[in-house]
Amino acid sequence: MAQPRLKMRLGDLLVQEQIVSDDQLQLALQQQRQTSRKLGTTLIDLGFISEEQLLKFLARQLGVPFFDLNNLTIDAKAVALLPEVQARRYRALAVHQSEHEVTVAMSDPADLSALDAIANLLRPREMKLAVAREGQLLDYFDRLYRRTREIESFAEQLQEEYQDAGFELGSSNLEGGNEGEATVAKLLRSLFEDAVQVGASDIHIEPDEKVLRIRQRIDGVLHENILNEVRIAQALVLRLKLVAGLDISEKRLPQDGRFAMKVRGRDVDVRLSTMPVQHGESVVMRLLDQSAGILSLDETGMPPEILVRFRRQLKRPHGMILVTGPTGSGKTTTLYGALSELNQPSQKIITVEDPVEYRLPRVNQVQVNPKIGLTFSQVLRSTLRQDPDILLVGEMRDNETVEIGLRGAITGHLVLTTLHTNDAISSALRLIDMGAPGYLVASALRAVVAQRLVRRVCEHCSEPKAPDEGQGSWLATLSGETPGQYDYHKGRGCQSCNFTGYRGRVGVYELLELDQTMMDALRRDDTESFARAARQHPHYRPLALTALDYARSGITSVDEVLRLAEDLG
């Protein structure tokens, strides 16, 4: 079956249908000669027509369907019929297949050379044309062209190479250029590319008795891929240790390291941790995309009313501001967002971190190194002699660091730091538990931000979902609401969210600003009065209620609010 072709040139058709004027067409043609871009793209860039208008017009002219890929169930086996290189080159995605034909969605169905090239690739099956937005196609390329099969293939190849060579995996010299070494590099490259492609924050490599588990944390949830080639784990760990500069002969003790690499055009910083387990060594790698840059406070998702109050605290000349939450809750993102606003030529900023996650211009960043005695407390003492205006301490880990930080906060410095506690109220009490005098905490501590991350309901498959009876009872206890008082949503699962119902995450925050009543309670070491005064503060809103506000707005689901509440205990 011959592919549909336009009977006239695109520009003439648009003028004939009075979608653009002849003057607009001539202007677009003039600009096209200068930029060498396609006419349709030029018309869109000039604002004479929208992408959707153009694509729907082309679909009508060609007598083919227009697809919204977010509402389409895409056949993964059909996707594999068109290699990724050609799919990206021609902006084409195979979405359905049958015995005799393959449906291909394209962003430029008027590109005759692309049509012919794709038709040749799909032979002997016929190509059935459809039209889709280019932005959606690019998004789906990243999601659908996963490296899963490629990873499995490299794993099989690696195991075969080492078996054929007749020696144990991991015993070879990985600094050499042998065939197995090249395959290890290719396998790891595929792992990293796949992780970056799907937006994973962590990669876990876990050897079991009979399988090797590769897990990726996406939107806070682990997704597992199982490889049967468990014996290749040693080779992977050795290569990663070499790259991170760790001791490859030490397999009995945990080790930490880091390295940088470029993946899919992005600069990625990798923090690596190894740990001896029953069947070898487990490796966890945290991926930090340096190319993404540092989010501003406006981009963190902090609610406007909390953001205004937080910025007011940041303008104070001295005092301590705590940001608290578990690992992976976005504390570093919030702190770096605050630093980016405070980073002015008139301010001397010093950070003490383990590790230094993002590089900031004009900021003096110190990496602690306990092996040589360069601890948080040791560095903190020295930084106070460096005439800083603002100090960022990566974490309050011990009594000595806490006391130095608090004393720095009452001697003219603004101190930003983190603490691992459940909520804002318990953070102030935790400082006292760590040995800091109540009067010192009261004098230094100005505000505490507690935060968590919850998953966003996928906007493409979000639908109303009333809470069940158990959830309704819990909501009534939490906020006093009655059944049916608010509309809640949940994702049913679609291609866009990999059928999870969620896509992306959003921060949930609570901000506690200490007033005179709270400070007086701390000075008396009266923790109960402090907690009571904090809960009664007119501007204090607990994390669970803030998350519930998001659920009522359709941003997240009741399930996510419940999960957060359970984490808070």
Side-chain angles (χ1 to χ4, degrees):
M1 182 176 66
Q3 291 305 317
R5 313 273 172 153
L6 291 174
K7 297 176 183 177
M8 295 174 59
R9 290 185 300 179
L10 175 61
D12 295 335
L13 278 170
L14 290 169
V15 172
Q16 180 179 297
E17 295 291 323
Q18 297 183 343
I19 294 173
V20 299
S21 67
D22 188 58
D23 289 342
Q24 288 175 327
L25 175 61
Q26 296 308 316
L27 182 61
L29 289 169
Q30 182 181 346
Q31 181 156 327
Q32 184 194 22
R33 284 191 288 271
Q34 297 172 357
T35 62
S36 300
R37 302 188 73 187
K38 293 179 179 178
L39 178 61
T41 304
T42 305
L43 287 166
I44 293 169
D45 290 344
L46 290 170
F48 297 152
I49 189 172
S50 70
E51 182 187 22
E52 188 168 343
Q53 269 184 301
L54 177 63
L55 293 178
K56 287 184 174 178
F57 169 76
L58 286 170
R60 285 196 305 272
Q61 290 294 320
L62 295 168
V64 300
F66 172 80
F67 285 162
D68 181 349
L69 297 182
N70 292 326
N71 296 323
L72 194 69
T73 300
I74 299 173
D75 183 350
K77 291 182 179 178
V79 172
L81 296 174
L82 198 58
E84 182 181 4
V85 173
Q86 280 74 25
R88 290 184 183 275
R89 178 181 178 185
Y90 299 124
R91 299 294 191 264
L93 182 68
V95 293
H96 295 306
Q97 65 170 331
S98 65
E99 186 179 351
H100 300 294
E101 65 181 18
V102 180
T103 303
V104 177
M106 296 182 64
S107 62
D108 186 4
D111 187 338
L112 300 183
S113 61
L115 286 170
D116 291 337
I118 294 169
N120 287 331
L121 286 168
L122 297 176
R123 282 190 180 132
R125 284 191 267 194
E126 292 287 346
M127 172 183 165
K128 183 179 178 183
L129 184 63
V131 182
R133 298 183 188 90
E134 182 176 14
Q136 283 190 343
L137 286 169
L138 292 174
D139 189 22
Y140 275 86
F141 291 154
D142 285 345
R143 273 186 258 159
L144 294 171
Y145 282 103
R146 297 290 303 273
R147 299 290 192 273
T148 306
R149 182 61 203 135
E150 186 177 281
I151 291 167
E152 291 172 351
S153 176
F154 282 137
E156 292 169 4
Q157 182 183 340
L158 181 60
Q159 180 138 305
E160 288 173 7
E161 287 170 358
Y162 278 106
Q163 284 175 342
D164 292 343
F167 52 81
E168 285 297 313
L169 290 174
S171 64
S172 63
N173 177 13
L174 291 182
E175 294 178 333
N178 59 65
E179 193 175 3
E181 139 73 1
T183 308
V184 171
K186 289 176 184 176
L187 174 53
L188 288 172
R189 167 64 62 177
S190 294
L191 274 177
F192 284 116
E193 286 184 351
D194 188 57
V196 169
Q197 198 164 291
V198 297
S201 61
D202 302 83
I203 301 174
H204 296 231
I205 300 175
E206 302 168 342
D208 209 334
E209 183 179 4
K210 295 181 180 178
V211 296
L212 175 63
R213 302 181 193 279
I214 307 289
R215 301 202 280 178
Q216 298 173 333
R217 192 175 294 279
I218 304 170
D219 291 338
V221 177
L222 284 171
H223 298 258
E224 186 174 79
N225 183 29
I226 295 177
L227 302 178
N228 292 321
E229 296 76 19
V230 66
R231 296 177 66 239
I232 70 171
Q234 295 179 50
L236 296 181
V237 174
L238 276 177
R239 161 55 77 127
L240 290 168
K241 281 184 172 181
L242 278 170
V243 175
L246 303 182
D247 183 356
I248 62 172
S249 65
E250 181 56 76
K251 301 178 181 179
R252 302 164 302 169
L253 297 173
Q255 296 187 69
D256 295 313
R258 68 187 302 170
F259 58 91
M261 63 188 305
K262 190 176 281 291
V263 183
R264 300 178 62 84
R266 302 181 190 177
D267 293 316
V268 178
D269 200 23
V270 182
R271 285 163 46 187
L272 178 144
S273 172
T274 70
M275 178 176 288
V277 292
Q278 189 174 8
H279 300 288
E281 287 181 274
S282 167
V283 176
V284 175
M285 292 175 283
R286 169 67 55 90
L287 309 182
L288 299 169
D289 188 352
Q290 300 288 341
S291 304
I294 295 168
L295 294 181
S296 68
L297 286 178
D298 291 310
E299 294 171 319
T300 61
M302 192 177 286
E305 65 276 9
I306 292 180
L307 187 55
V308 168
R309 292 160 52 210
F310 185 51
R311 282 190 166 127
R312 186 168 62 238
Q313 293 294 335
L314 291 174
K315 290 178 181 177
R316 287 176 174 269
H318 55 80
M320 178 179 284
I321 299 175
L322 274 178
V323 179
T324 183
T327 301
S329 60
K331 299 187 299 295
T332 302
T333 300
T334 300
L335 284 175
Y336 272 92
L339 278 189
S340 64
E341 290 197 4
L342 296 169
N343 189 7
Q344 303 294 330
S346 59
Q347 302 276 14
K348 168 87 170 187
I349 302 176
I350 301 177
T351 73
V352 188
E353 304 172 69
D354 183 23
V356 174
E357 296 195 7
Y358 296 97
R359 279 72 175 174
L360 289 167
R362 202 189 293 117
V363 175
N364 298 273
Q365 296 174 273
V366 182
Q367 165 77 57
V368 302
N369 187 351
K371 293 179 181 177
I372 60 171
L374 197 64
T375 60
F376 275 106
S377 56
Q378 179 65 40
V379 177
L380 204 46
R381 281 197 199 90
S382 300
T383 58
L384 292 174
R385 295 193 288 270
Q386 288 279 313
D387 188 30
D389 297 293
I390 300 165
L391 283 170
L392 184 149
V393 185
E395 185 183 344
M396 289 293 177
R397 292 186 177 178
D398 53 57
N399 171 260
E400 193 176 10
T401 306
V402 169
E403 287 223 21
I404 298 171
L406 290 170
R407 293 191 186 281
I410 63 175
T411 54
H413 308 93
L414 179 63
V415 179
L416 308 178
T417 186
T418 71
L419 197 63
H420 287 274
T421 53
N422 269 347
D423 55 28
I425 294 175
S426 61
S427 298
L429 305 180
R430 174 71 177 138
L431 293 177
I432 295 175
D433 289 341
M434 293 175 74
Y439 70 86
L440 189 57
V441 177
S443 301
L445 190 61
R446 293 288 173 264
V448 185
V449 176
Q451 63 183 86
R452 292 290 192 284
L453 294 174
V454 295
R455 291 182 292 173
R456 287 180 179 271
V457 171
C458 175
E459 61 182 13
H460 301 298
C461 63
S462 175
E463 59 185 20
K465 177 70 165 62
D468 60 32
E469 186 176 345
Q471 291 174 335
S473 300
W474 180 81
L475 290 170
T477 304
L478 177 67
S479 63
E481 70 177 67
T482 56
Q485 186 175 353
Y486 297 97
D487 293 327
Y488 293 101
H489 287 74
K490 188 174 182 178
R492 68 178 179 276
C494 66
Q495 198 80 44
S496 179
C497 60
N498 200 24
F499 300 98
T500 63
Y502 299 97
R503 190 173 179 205
R505 291 190 290 175
V506 62
V508 179
Y509 302 85
E510 70 180 19
L511 173 60
L512 176 64
E513 296 171 289
L514 274 70
D515 61 14
Q516 195 60 50
T517 305
M518 291 183 231
M519 286 187 244
D520 289 342
L522 287 175
R523 287 191 181 96
R524 299 191 307 268
D525 288 331
D526 187 349
T527 57
E528 289 186 8
S529 296
F530 171 81
R532 185 166 54 250
R535 292 190 186 95
Q536 292 173 351
H537 193 282
H539 294 305
Y540 174 71
R541 188 166 179 79
L543 280 166
L545 288 178
T546 305
L548 185 58
D549 291 338
Y550 286 164
R552 289 168 176 171
S553 303
I555 296 172
T556 192
S557 67
V558 174
D559 290 337
E560 282 293 284
V561 180
L562 272 166
R563 186 173 66 85
L564 181 143
E566 288 171 359
D567 287 345
L568 293 172

